[in-house]
Amino acid sequence: MQRTLLLMSIPFLLYRLLFSYVPLIGWAIAFQDFRPRIGVTPLQSLRTNEFIGLDNFRVLLDTDTVLGARFVQSIINTFGQALLTQIVGFICAIVLSLMLNEVRQNGIKKVIQNILYLPHFLSWVIVASLASVALALPASGGIINEFLLWTRIISEPIHFLANPSYFWGIVAGTHLWRNLGWNTIIYLAAMTAVDPSLYEAASIDGASRYRKMWHITLSSIKPTIVILMIMNVGWLLTSGFEIQWFLGHGVNIPRSENIDIFIFRYGIQMGNFGLATASGILRTGISITLLSIVNFIAGRLGSEKLF
């Protein structure tokens, strides 16, 4: 049986090696003054370009230059956007999963789940368009400003997209609206494996529904929560590209430009492929470091580890 499963996994292993590890050869571009040439294969180009060592990395980490300062700020923006998105999405997904798990009417539960899952299948172009309209001024159909004015939370409309301080929250909010329902699937699946006899014993002992949720449901899915949290840490420096690109502009660029946009603007569009590759390597190194630290801490605390 194990031999059969191993044989079945070979195509997926080859796929991963081909598209995830073989392209790492291109990391050599970060140490070269890379210039693509017509009629030359990529490997030949790698061998013929001038080797410049760590110059691209020095440019990125030199905060005294405009480019270096922009790169450091893009790291801060990426980390801030992703961290806020992960925290809000993580907590809300767990809370929503607990609430859905308590719904006893299967028909109502399925309807709620379908409604919550639908936004996940919308493209980021549509999501950004809806967010742009919702965050606009009341005269342009901005329902968020209209609601805040109607409830008298604010006395005058807020220019959400024109104020850089709101952008991280906008990114977190759009991700939450689009992915909240989808993120509950794993937690709900983990909850189905909880032994029903635990709930029966708790009911006999007089435990309330909230006590059961806290001491039984939440405790039972703790390993799943820890593993997902560790995996999400590895993506902290990958806050996305689409929503930042569509909603970002010259006014909010100090808080909207993340690493992906930095690489696109100053690496690919300007033809500086060595700089773009060096940026990607630095991001990968920081992500691996964060993942290893969190995984080590989880192990020391006696929780489940990723590796």
Side-chain angles (χ1 to χ4, degrees):
M1 181 62 180
Q2 291 296 324
R3 183 179 179 182
T4 303
L5 293 175
L6 290 173
L7 290 174
M8 291 174 61
S9 67
I10 289 177
F12 302 100
L13 178 62
L14 293 176
Y15 173 85
R16 181 58 63 187
L17 290 173
L18 179 61
F19 291 100
S20 296
Y21 291 95
V22 173
L24 292 181
I25 299 173
W27 275 12
I29 296 173
F31 307 95
Q32 297 177 337
D33 183 17
F34 184 81
R35 293 291 182 271
R37 301 175 183 178
I38 299 176
V40 178
T41 64
L43 289 178
Q44 290 176 338
S45 182
L46 286 175
R47 289 196 299 266
T48 56
N49 278 287
E50 179 186 357
F51 179 78
I52 59 174
L54 299 176
D55 287 356
N56 285 321
F57 295 92
R58 295 190 184 98
V59 170
L60 291 174
L61 298 176
D62 185 5
T63 55
D64 293 332
T65 63
V66 175
L67 193 62
R70 292 290 287 269
F71 177 72
V72 173
Q73 184 60 43
S74 71
I75 292 179
I76 296 173
N77 290 338
T78 304
F79 187 80
Q81 293 170 13
L83 184 62
L84 185 60
T85 299
Q86 295 291 352
I87 291 175
V88 174
F90 202 72
I91 295 174
C92 291
I94 294 174
V95 173
L96 180 60
S97 300
L98 291 171
M99 295 172 64
L100 288 174
N101 190 57
E102 294 299 315
V103 178
R104 302 307 178 197
Q105 298 292 333
N106 288 330
I108 298 176
K109 185 176 181 179
K110 290 180 180 179
V111 171
I112 295 174
Q113 287 178 299
N114 288 331
I115 294 174
L116 292 172
Y117 295 163
L118 282 176
H120 179 77
F121 299 98
L122 298 178
S123 69
W124 277 114
V125 177
I126 298 175
V127 173
S129 177
L130 294 174
S132 179
V133 174
L135 295 168
L137 297 176
S140 301
I143 58 174
I144 294 179
N145 267 312
E146 290 182 359
F147 174 78
L148 294 176
L149 290 169
W150 178 69
T151 55
R152 298 186 179 180
I153 296 176
I154 59 175
S155 57
E156 57 183 21
I158 300 175
H159 297 263
F160 288 104
L161 295 177
N163 191 334
S165 60
Y166 291 114
F167 199 84
W168 290 6
I170 293 172
V171 172
T174 52
H175 277 271
L176 181 67
W177 178 79
R178 183 177 184 266
N179 298 320
L180 178 59
W182 188 259
N183 291 339
T184 62
I185 293 177
I186 296 179
Y187 299 114
L188 288 173
M191 291 175 188
T192 59
V194 180
D195 189 354
S197 63
L198 296 176
Y199 295 107
E200 296 174 2
S203 299
I204 295 173
D205 291 337
S208 64
R209 174 173 291 186
Y210 298 104
R211 288 289 183 181
K212 295 176 186 177
M213 291 170 59
W214 180 263
H215 293 288
I216 299 177
T217 308
L218 200 58
S219 297
S220 299
I221 66 172
K222 180 183 175 182
T224 302
I225 294 174
V226 173
I227 291 296
L228 289 177
M229 182 180 66
I230 295 174
M231 294 176 64
N232 288 335
V233 168
W235 296 97
L236 276 183
L237 290 184
T238 310
S239 60
F241 176 86
E242 295 90 348
I243 196 70
Q244 290 85 351
W245 180 258
F246 293 132
L247 297 182
H249 49 75
V251 178
N252 60 30
I253 198 171
R255 301 295 293 273
S256 65
E257 186 177 72
N258 60 4
I259 294 180
D260 290 324
I261 294 179
F262 177 89
I263 292 173
F264 179 71
R265 281 180 175 153
Y266 303 103
I268 298 175
Q269 283 189 332
M270 298 178 65
N272 197 336
F273 299 103
L275 193 72
T277 307
S279 303
I281 292 175
L282 287 174
R283 177 176 63 180
T284 302
I286 296 173
S287 298
I288 293 175
T289 302
L290 290 173
L291 180 62
S292 301
I293 292 173
V294 174
N295 187 71
F296 174 77
I297 294 174
R300 296 289 292 178
L301 295 176
S303 300
E304 295 290 331
K305 295 175 61 177
L306 188 62
F307 52 86

